[in-house]
Amino acid sequence: MLALSHHPFLRHLPPSSASSSLPSLPPPHCIKRFSVVRASMDQPAAASPVMGFPHLPPSHRDLMVDLLSTIEARLGPHLLPSAVPSNVLSFQGQGGASQGALDIRSGGQDSSVDFILESWLHCNVPSGSLNITTIFAFLKASTDAPHLLMEFIQGSPTSLILFMDLLPRKDLVLHPDYLDEFYQNTNLDRPRQELENVPQVLPYRSSSLYIRSVLSPTAVAVQINCGAEGESAMEEIMQVQLDSVAKEILRIWLDKCARSMKQLGETERADLLSRDTLIKNKTVEIDLAANLPRLFGPDVANRVVEAIQKAYRI
């Protein structure tokens, strides 16, 4: 939920234009809460409140389920139960043309995780359907390890904007050892290089200078356009290249960052908290508060934003 404004339609949608003006769709699929850990390789993955991903193509849905299942298997025992209200776990705009699901789980006392946000949004727009899926994992100031961002913005069956990154929490020029520890020594730039070698993949430059300043030098920020090659080409890229790249970035974050604990000085912890709070506030200000009302109407948008602010403690 960092990049709603990256869909061209949203940049031109007038304020307060709610989804009630769009054609009606059936209500969201029923989403039930149960564990996401796979009992065995022969059994299907179970689902969290957002695990249904009812509007995604099969390969995209499978990738998101695998990513969330991996996070749950590694970090689930150290996360608190969700406190997100049921009308935020699943929500829709008037008439059901815009639908979404969101869950946030905070880390327990023994965890370096501040919170993990997982969500999907589906909106009918004049140019077609917009699907946004997000995994956003924030760490506490008990470590200086990077946060995790994964966001897929699919504006059509043949096009996708993708952000995947370990968001740095220190100035990489002032702290070259930090650059080495989390980016150089982990070969984090290799997944980006592999993905950008795919012919249909081009680098993507966000229109927001703020978002570009938050990302690391190894960030995957790309646009995939399969054009006349069609949906089958996008499915193949999702199954092969994107699946591999996303899982490798998640593996690095889980192995190197998610369970990290460090002895940090009081000033260093204060600096981390200040930087993290700024990022949380900007996420809400420039993206969610600005765009959700235009898709879901003010009442639903306010409810979702309030739940996020509560989890962010801002």
Side-chain angles (χ1 to χ4, degrees):
M1 282 189 165
L2 287 180
L4 278 171
S5 57
H6 290 284
H7 191 273
F9 167 71
L10 292 180
R11 291 200 288 268
H12 303 290
L13 186 65
S16 303
S17 177
S19 60
S20 59
S21 62
L22 301 174
S24 177
L25 293 177
H29 290 202
C30 178
I31 301 172
K32 297 181 179 179
R33 178 185 299 276
F34 52 97
S35 168
V36 304
V37 182
R38 295 177 189 264
S40 74
M41 293 303 291
D42 298 325
Q43 294 177 335
S48 78
V50 301
M51 190 70 84
F53 299 112
H55 302 285
L56 295 183
S59 59
H60 191 169
R61 181 174 60 248
D62 291 346
L63 173 57
M64 297 307 299
V65 169
D66 284 348
L67 294 173
L68 292 180
S69 298
T70 300
I71 291 173
E72 177 67 18
R74 292 282 298 271
L75 301 179
H78 306 280
L79 301 177
L80 300 175
S82 172
V84 174
S86 60
N87 60 1
V88 175
L89 286 171
S90 179
F91 54 92
Q92 61 181 351
Q94 185 177 347
S98 296
Q99 306 168 11
L102 178 143
D103 198 13
I104 305 173
R105 294 178 65 188
S106 299
Q109 289 186 347
D110 66 335
S111 174
S112 59
V113 172
D114 185 2
F115 63 83
I116 295 178
L117 179 152
E118 54 197 52
S119 71
W120 61 260
L121 299 176
H122 170 81
C123 306
N124 259 18
V125 296
S127 58
S129 293
L130 172 65
N131 290 293
I132 302 175
T133 52
T134 303
I135 301 173
F136 191 28
F138 238 67
L139 299 179
K140 298 175 182 175
S142 55
T143 178
D144 60 4
H147 306 309
L148 173 70
L149 168 66
M150 291 186 165
E151 189 143 65
F152 300 72
I153 308 160
Q154 188 152 22
S156 79
T158 60
S159 65
L160 179 76
I161 294 172
L162 173 63
F163 293 92
M164 292 190 291
D165 195 23
L166 304 193
L167 302 178
R169 299 170 72 193
K170 288 187 173 182
D171 187 307
L172 300 181
V173 175
L174 295 178
H175 300 276
D177 53 335
Y178 188 91
L179 178 68
D180 289 341
E181 179 180 4
F182 294 110
Y183 301 95
Q184 186 72 42
N185 297 341
T186 58
N187 290 319
L188 190 57
D189 201 37
R190 185 173 59 189
R192 180 196 60 79
Q193 293 173 352
E194 292 177 357
L195 191 57
E196 291 189 0
N197 283 331
V198 178
Q200 298 89 342
V201 175
L202 293 173
Y204 180 79
R205 298 291 178 259
S206 168
S207 59
S208 167
L209 294 179
Y210 171 76
I211 290 177
R212 284 154 61 180
S213 71
V214 168
L215 299 176
S216 80
T218 63
V220 173
V222 299
Q223 182 168 11
I224 304 172
N225 193 338
C226 294
E229 297 172 83
E231 296 180 37
S232 60
M234 178 63 77
E235 284 284 290
E236 183 177 352
I237 291 172
M238 187 71 71
Q239 289 173 348
V240 181
Q241 288 90 357
L242 283 187
D243 186 275
S244 173
V245 166
K247 289 177 179 177
E248 175 64 7
I249 291 173
L250 177 60
R251 182 196 66 78
I252 292 171
W253 184 78
L254 288 171
D255 289 349
K256 187 68 178 177
C257 306
R259 301 299 304 278
S260 172
M261 293 284 188
K262 291 187 177 181
Q263 294 293 327
L264 301 176
E266 185 174 335
T267 300
E268 191 173 6
R269 283 173 56 88
D271 289 343
L272 287 173
L273 285 171
S274 177
R275 182 187 180 98
D276 289 348
T277 300
L278 284 172
I279 292 175
K280 292 175 183 177
N281 277 311
K282 282 291 186 180
T283 299
V284 172
E285 174 189 337
I286 69 174
D287 207 52
L288 301 178
N291 291 298
L292 281 181
R294 299 189 287 174
L295 295 172
F296 291 92
D299 292 341
V300 174
N302 289 341
R303 191 165 69 232
V304 173
V305 169
E306 286 174 5
I308 293 173
Q309 289 175 319
K310 182 177 180 180
Y312 284 10
R313 295 186 296 279
I314 58 174

